[in-house]
Amino acid sequence: MIDTFLHGRTALVTGSTSGIGLAIASALAAHGARVAINGLGTPEQITSAIAEVNAAGGGGTRHFGADLRAPDAIETMMMELSDWSGGGIDILVNNAGILRDKSFAKMELADFRLVMDVHVMGAVHCTKAVWPH
């Protein structure tokens, strides 16, 4: 039985084509939310993630593949998401992350910058873009 606590609400979960983000997206759908998933996974991962979230219930699922390092791509995603959902965005879960499995001492600055761009600035860009919606 689907819980309808979030029926009529739209959620965006970044980093949700696998792992914790996919579990969060599925849980939101199980409570009745329409869920937009975002991630740069393979086509197979994306198809599987959409199927898993849809199976949990909710008001539908759609994938948006915006690169969170690019504010323009995020703005475009927000416009498309708003059109798809028929209105605003009620829930944002900034879950996206990128792993560079090295100690700080062994990590190149370019890798560190990439991690910061996704983890920190990606969350900032998404929050800033969602705020007016």
Side-chain angles (χ1 to χ4, degrees):
M1 179 175 176
I2 297 172
D3 181 353
T4 59
F5 175 69
L6 296 175
H7 180 75
R9 304 287 186 196
T10 299
L12 168 61
V13 183
T14 66
S16 54
T17 55
S18 64
I20 294 169
L22 180 54
I24 292 167
S26 295
L28 289 165
H31 287 282
R34 177 185 307 108
V35 181
I37 60 173
N38 168 265
L40 300 177
T42 66
E44 294 79 18
Q45 284 175 312
I46 293 165
T47 299
S48 177
I50 291 169
E52 185 172 327
V53 176
N54 277 333
T61 307
R62 181 168 166 198
H63 173 260
F64 294 87
D67 184 336
L68 301 185
R69 297 170 297 164
D72 291 345
I74 293 169
E75 285 295 332
T76 299
M77 175 177 66
M78 291 304 154
M79 288 186 291
E80 291 174 0
L81 199 161
S82 185
D83 288 345
W84 170 71
S85 69
I89 301 164
D90 304 294
I91 302 162
L92 170 63
V93 179
N94 282 308
N95 173 74
I98 188 166
L99 179 63
R100 294 296 179 255
D101 200 13
K102 298 178 184 177
S103 68
F104 181 77
K106 294 179 182 179
M107 186 182 292
E108 297 291 326
L109 285 179
D111 284 337
F112 184 76
R113 183 170 284 117
L114 178 63
V115 169
M116 295 302 290
D117 284 346
V118 173
H119 288 238
V120 177
M121 294 310 297
V124 169
H125 295 313
C126 282
T127 302
K128 185 95 171 137
V130 166
W131 199 265
H133 297 278

